[in-house]
């Protein structure tokens, strides 16, 4: 069993790759110890790039307690996070659209919904154990519309390896120079019950922010044609309308039997009020606020663990969840936010059920089956402030049924293949044209070759479709869009291959490196066009081709215990081709930089202190400027962050033994760094934090 001491970031070794070394597959072979940091679990990615596993409490630059998911992903290799004009954060992996990446909580997809994506800026992580990023189509069994990667969050899971099964309490607080503040508390209590353990967990977090810091410099150095943000009303050092008040909480019950069987119940909820920063580069930006936004989620899950059957060994896991979301949007006439011009209310309910089964086969092969069924119902009320307004009902059903087979061809070679059938229908469309029932078949082939203990080669090819979301098909977005109910599914053909160096002599030196090359071809891409009446409309028109390479490396020098150096880089070429014309039909994609990278250095602990610094580079990117009627370029940009922390001993046993103090500075150079045209990231922010656990 190999372990690295990487407090910032982990590249977890594929469990299937380990099994390729030992072709005899039985119950003990399924319980593979993870390659981990502080007990992080190793996900399965046969034939694909190894997953990146991130502990929220072990990031290169420590964050405030229970940060938003977006803040964690900003420091995660190969993930692009950007704010859009609706005030949401979008997730991109390998240049994918934000609706092509699936976000999952305890195995259930949360990105199924009215808009088919999650907003990580208000997705809380209170009590989250770890976040796992799997890029590309690593498996067909995650559910429909999973093309560009999977973001997995773990909340109600078994205790990590090496973690003491004892009561725990964690209290944290943080603030910055603009009086933003957070207060969070989580607790857990295990109870020995029969032949297993019953665990109770819960937590609550409150966040308040008057606004984000205005960055220095002029917006886009004049490239986007905008003017500087004059600042928020009452504080010209804050970006306009970027305040937030949010409270979230969770409760989790789980019983684990020593046989591996388990049953769990999870509940989470949040409520928030927030502003939306207006775009700086156009003459008529959105002036929006969310006066109310809330979500609640309940999940029940159960599993058998690996059990002996008449045909070998197998396991079954089942889960079901219900999500309800309510939001209100207010549109204002101007930057004063004094007069409401229109409103929108949305009420969403999503029911999801998922069943997974795994069983051994002759010749040490393994069969995996999964089915995911979901129903989204959404009530949209436009001009909700008027007495005559009524709700319009929309509904979409998404089902996915897949099977994958893994076969050890030789002692060091594992081959996998699978097929999936995805279905989508829109039973209720608010009086507009229904899609009927659409069906698409996807497939995947992959292999992993263990050259020796520390060298693995892996490659895969796959094809799968994504069905348009209800909002893409039917929403007018407060009269900004002309709906198009005739959108067709997108179709992605992807290739990837790479090598991973870890284990053996590399592990002895605390070194790891992975290099992956990829190529994607997306047909019938859904893109946004501007109509003569200046409304936007989504259509299927383009083909998007992307090819590139990803590099991830880390080094934890043995002689400098606790010190780490991690670096990642993505270099890709992305081109969009208009399939309706034959000449001069190539252009750059919007909001997809072709180079991205980061470097993080963490010092060893000296006199109880630990320091870290991180630099993040984003290459040139482009956006379609609605006022100029053409694409404009945003120059490459680099931002640096730094932090110093110290841990103090409070007591030798029991609860609340350690106190950790933090001072961090985000955006050291106070640079204007853009997520997309007209929407800069926060300026220089000094954060202070205290955590007692």
């Amino acid at each position: 069993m190999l372990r690295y001491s990487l407090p910032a970031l982990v590249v977890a070794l594929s469990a299937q790759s380990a099994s390729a070394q030992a072709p005899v597959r039985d119950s003990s072979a399924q319980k593979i110890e993870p390659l981990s940091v502080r007990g992080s679990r190793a996900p399965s990615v046969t034939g694909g790039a190894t997953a990146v596993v991130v502990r929220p409490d072990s990031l290169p630059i420590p964050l405030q307690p229970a940060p938003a998911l977006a803040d964690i992903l900003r420091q995660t290799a190969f993930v692009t996070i950007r704010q859009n004009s609706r005030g949401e954060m979008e997730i991109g992996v390998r240049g994918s659209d934000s609706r092509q990446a699936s976000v999952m909580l305890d195995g259930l997809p949360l990105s199924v919904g009215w808009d088919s994506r999650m907003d990580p800026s208000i997705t809380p992580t209170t009590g989250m154990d770890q976040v796992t990023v799997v890029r590309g189509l690593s498996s067909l069994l995650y559910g429909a519309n999973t093309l560009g990667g999977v973001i997995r969050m773990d909340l109600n899971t078994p205790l990590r390896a090496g973690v003491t099964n004892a009561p725990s309490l964690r209290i944290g607080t943080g603030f910055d120079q603009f009086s933003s503040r957070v207060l969070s508390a989580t607790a857990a209590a295990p109870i020995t019950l029969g032949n297993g353990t019953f665990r109770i967990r819960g937590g609550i977090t409150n966040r308040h922010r008057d606004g984000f810091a205005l960055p220095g410099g002029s917006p886009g150095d004049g490239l986007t044609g905008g003017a500087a943000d004059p600042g928020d009303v009452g504080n010209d050092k804050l970006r306009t309308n970027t305040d937030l008040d949010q409270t979230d909480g969770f409760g989790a019950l789980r019983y684990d039997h020593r046989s591996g069987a388990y049953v769990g119940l999870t509940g989470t909820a949040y409520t928030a009020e927030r502003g939306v920063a207006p775009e700086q580069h156009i003459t008529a930006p959105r002036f929006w606020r969310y006066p109310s936004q809330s979500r609640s989620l309940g999940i029940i899950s159960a599993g058998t663990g690996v059990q002996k059957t008449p045909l070998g060994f197998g396991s079954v896991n089942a889960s079901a969840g219900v999500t309800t979301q309510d939001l209100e949007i207010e549109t204002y006439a101007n930057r004063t936010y004094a007069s409401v011009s229109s409103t929108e209310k949305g009420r969403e309910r999503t029911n999801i059920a998922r069943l997974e089964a795994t069983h051994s086969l002759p010749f040490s092969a393994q069969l995996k089956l999964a089915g995911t069924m979901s129903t989204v119902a959404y009530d949209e009320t436009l001009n909700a402030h008027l007495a005559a307004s009524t709700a319009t009902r929309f509904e979409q059903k998404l089902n996915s049924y897949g099977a994958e087979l893994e076969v050890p061809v030789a002692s060091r070679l594992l081959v996998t293949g699978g097929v999936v059938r995805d279905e989508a229908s829109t039973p209720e469309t608010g009086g507009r044209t229904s899609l009927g029932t659409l069906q698409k078949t996807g497939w995947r082939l992959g292999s992993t070759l263990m050259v020796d203990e520390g060298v693995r080669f892996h490659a895969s090819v796959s094809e799968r479709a994504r069905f348009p979301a209800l909002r893409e098909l039917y929403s007018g977005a407060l009269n900004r869009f002309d709906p198009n109910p005739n959108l067709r599914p997108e179709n992605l053909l992807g290739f990837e291959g790479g090598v991973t160096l870890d284990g053996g002599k590399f592990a002895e030196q605390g070194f790891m490196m992975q290099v992956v090359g990829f190529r994607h071809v997306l047909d019938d891409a859904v893109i946004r066009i501007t109509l003569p009446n200046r409304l936007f409309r989504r259509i299927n028109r383009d083909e998007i081709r992307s090819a590139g390479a990803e590099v991830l490396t880390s080094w934890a020098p043995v002689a400098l215990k606790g010190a780490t150096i991690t670096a990642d880089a993505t270099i890709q070429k992305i081109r969009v081709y208009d399939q309706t014309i034959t000449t001069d039909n190539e252009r750059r994609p919007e909001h997809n930089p072709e180079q991205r990278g980061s470097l993080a250095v963490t010092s060893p602990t000296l006199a109880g202190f630990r320091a870290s610094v991180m630099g993040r580079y984003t290459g040139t990117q482009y956006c379609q400027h609605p006022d100029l009627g053409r694409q404009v370029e945003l120059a490459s940009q680099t931002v640096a962050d730094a932090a110093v922390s110290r841990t103090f001993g409070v007591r030798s046993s029991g609860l609340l033994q350690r106190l950790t103090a933090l001072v961090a500075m985000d955006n050291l150079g106070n640079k204007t760094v853009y997520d997309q045209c007209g929407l800069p990231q926060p300026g220089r922010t000094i954060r202070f934090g205290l955590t007692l656990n």
Side-chain angles (χ1 to χ4, degrees):
M1 163 50 188
L2 305 173
R3 293 185 182 272
Y4 297 139
S5 176
L6 306 180
L9 164 66
V10 187
V11 174
L13 180 63
S14 164
Q16 280 87 348
S17 299
S19 65
Q21 292 180 293
V24 178
R25 193 173 286 200
D26 57 20
S27 61
S28 62
Q30 300 305 308
K31 299 176 182 177
I32 299 172
E33 288 294 326
L35 172 66
S36 62
V37 170
R38 301 182 186 178
S40 298
R41 189 67 182 169
S44 302
V45 191
T46 304
T50 310
V52 176
V53 181
V54 181
R55 292 286 313 282
D57 58 356
S58 303
L59 291 164
I61 304 299
L63 298 172
Q64 306 288 49
L69 178 61
D71 296 327
I72 296 173
L73 294 179
R74 278 215 189 269
Q75 296 190 44
T76 302
F78 311 127
V79 180
T80 299
I81 293 292
R82 66 177 181 86
Q83 183 185 11
N84 64 22
S85 61
R86 294 171 57 91
E88 303 162 333
M89 290 291 185
E90 298 187 15
I91 302 171
V93 183
R94 288 183 179 169
S96 65
D97 180 83
S98 58
R99 295 184 181 90
Q100 295 171 354
S102 178
V103 179
M104 308 184 76
L105 175 62
D106 289 348
L108 276 185
L110 299 183
S111 45
V112 173
W114 162 248
D115 201 19
S116 286
R117 61 186 175 193
M118 287 285 294
D119 180 2
S121 69
I122 54 170
T123 300
T125 61
T126 305
M128 292 296 175
D129 189 55
Q130 64 186 34
V131 177
T132 303
V133 177
V134 185
R135 66 249 199 220
L137 186 57
S138 62
S139 173
L140 301 171
L141 307 183
Y142 287 121
N145 289 355
T146 303
L147 302 184
V150 177
I151 312 295
R152 298 184 57 176
M153 300 182 293
D154 295 323
L155 184 58
N156 196 6
T157 56
L159 282 174
R160 302 190 312 273
V163 176
T164 302
N165 188 14
S168 63
L169 177 63
R170 182 184 183 94
I171 301 173
T173 186
F175 58 95
D176 64 24
Q177 79 267 37
F178 301 109
S179 300
S180 296
R181 59 186 182 272
V182 60
L183 178 62
S184 179
T186 59
I191 302 171
T192 300
L193 187 63
N195 291 319
T197 301
F198 181 69
R199 192 173 183 223
I200 305 172
R201 298 183 65 224
I204 187 169
T205 300
N206 176 260
R207 302 171 187 83
H208 171 81
R209 181 182 71 226
D210 289 332
F212 286 126
L214 271 173
S218 60
D221 296 327
L223 292 176
T224 59
D229 188 335
D232 204 13
V233 176
N235 191 337
D236 59 7
K237 295 183 179 180
L238 298 178
R239 285 180 62 196
T240 298
N241 202 41
T242 54
D243 59 295
L244 169 72
D245 276 294
Q246 182 180 22
T247 300
D248 74 86
F250 82 97
L253 307 175
R254 183 179 174 107
Y255 178 75
D256 288 281
H257 193 269
R258 66 181 181 182
S259 66
Y262 72 93
V263 61
L265 180 64
T266 306
T268 71
Y270 73 74
T271 181
E273 176 185 354
R274 60 185 178 126
V276 177
E279 297 168 281
Q280 297 180 13
H281 68 304
I282 59 178
T283 56
R286 285 172 166 159
F287 297 111
W288 276 21
R289 285 191 61 81
Y290 293 90
S292 176
Q293 192 167 7
S294 62
R295 187 190 74 191
S296 61
L297 166 67
I299 299 175
I300 184 169
S301 58
T304 64
V306 178
Q307 304 295 331
K308 184 174 177 57
T309 75
L311 300 177
F313 294 89
S315 65
V316 176
N317 297 290
S319 56
V322 178
T323 302
T324 59
Q325 297 192 69
D326 290 273
L327 67 85
E328 296 181 31
I329 303 172
E330 293 178 343
T331 299
Y332 291 81
N334 52 49
R335 190 179 292 273
T336 65
Y337 296 89
S339 176
V340 176
S341 57
S342 61
T343 59
E344 176 183 333
K345 286 187 177 181
R347 169 161 291 185
E348 177 182 312
R349 179 185 173 97
T350 305
N351 301 324
I352 305 176
R354 181 172 169 81
L355 181 67
E356 301 174 281
T358 302
H359 203 283
S360 62
L361 296 176
F363 307 106
S364 299
Q366 188 176 71
L367 176 66
K368 298 180 180 180
L369 305 171
T372 304
M373 295 138 285
S374 62
T375 300
V376 181
Y378 189 81
D379 293 325
E380 181 184 51
T381 306
L382 301 179
N383 295 317
H385 61 299
L386 302 178
S389 62
T390 58
T392 303
R393 168 61 64 97
F394 301 94
E395 185 176 298
Q396 183 177 47
K397 295 180 182 293
L398 288 170
N399 299 324
S400 178
Y401 310 97
E404 292 182 336
L405 178 65
E406 295 181 354
V407 181
V409 176
S411 61
R412 293 182 178 271
L413 177 63
L414 183 67
V415 176
T416 182
V419 294
V420 66
R421 187 68 168 175
D422 297 325
E423 301 175 352
S425 62
T426 51
E428 297 193 54
T429 62
R432 300 184 176 98
T433 303
S434 172
L435 286 175
T437 299
L438 301 178
Q439 295 182 329
K440 287 287 186 177
T441 299
W443 54 270
R444 182 178 184 270
L445 296 172
S447 64
T448 297
L449 174 65
M450 299 288 294
V451 176
D452 59 31
E453 188 180 4
V455 180
R456 292 182 292 119
F457 288 94
H458 34 85
S460 68
V461 57
S462 58
E463 183 174 16
R464 198 172 191 183
R466 181 190 77 86
F467 301 110
L470 282 171
R471 191 168 84 84
E472 291 177 284
L473 293 165
Y474 302 117
S475 175
L478 291 177
N479 298 318
R480 294 279 299 224
F481 277 81
D482 178 41
N484 181 7
N486 297 313
L487 288 176
R488 301 183 303 275
E490 299 176 326
N491 193 75
L492 179 67
L493 177 64
F495 307 84
E496 74 167 70
V499 59
T500 299
L501 309 178
D502 60 12
K505 59 185 178 182
F506 299 108
E508 293 173 3
Q509 300 299 318
F511 178 80
M512 181 283 307
M513 174 177 281
Q514 183 178 83
V515 181
V516 176
F518 63 90
R519 176 174 173 78
H520 289 171
V521 179
L522 182 70
D523 283 324
D524 280 336
V526 176
I527 59 106
R528 185 185 72 179
I529 63 172
T530 303
L531 301 176
N533 61 2
R534 293 188 59 80
L535 289 179
F536 296 125
R537 183 179 176 89
R538 295 183 179 90
I539 63 171
N540 296 96
R541 190 188 67 188
D542 293 346
E543 179 184 84
I544 302 176
R545 305 174 195 168
S546 59
E550 300 167 331
V551 180
L552 175 64
T553 185
S554 62
W555 183 38
V558 177
L560 298 174
K561 187 176 181 181
T564 63
I565 302 173
T566 61
D568 70 271
T570 300
I571 302 173
Q572 57 187 339
K573 178 181 179 180
I574 311 174
R575 293 295 182 270
V576 182
Y577 298 91
D578 185 341
Q579 295 175 313
T580 64
I581 58 178
T582 57
T583 59
D584 194 26
N585 66 341
E586 177 183 318
R587 72 178 190 278
R588 301 290 186 118
E590 282 194 278
H591 318 310
N592 265 317
E594 294 190 330
Q595 299 88 36
R596 181 184 180 276
S598 69
L599 173 65
V601 179
T602 302
S603 74
T605 301
L606 300 173
F609 288 90
R610 194 166 196 179
S612 58
V613 63
M614 184 177 191
R616 293 178 281 117
Y617 171 81
T618 302
T620 302
Q621 57 182 315
Y622 300 83
C623 71
Q624 188 68 27
H625 199 301
D627 291 351
L628 303 179
R630 60 176 175 83
Q631 276 196 337
V632 296
E633 176 183 313
L634 281 174
S636 60
Q637 45 203 12
T638 303
V639 63
D641 310 314
V644 177
S645 63
R646 193 183 194 285
T647 300
F648 303 86
V650 176
R651 53 193 301 188
S652 59
S653 61
L655 301 175
L656 306 178
Q657 298 179 30
R658 297 177 301 279
L659 175 66
T660 300
L662 166 71
V663 178
M665 184 177 292
D666 303 327
N667 195 349
L668 287 168
N670 198 28
K671 293 187 175 182
T672 302
V673 177
Y674 282 88
D675 280 336
Q676 67 178 57
C677 284
L679 293 171
Q681 296 178 20
R684 183 187 295 121
T685 305
I686 303 173
R687 296 184 287 108
F688 306 89
L690 293 172
T691 302
L692 189 61
N693 62 353

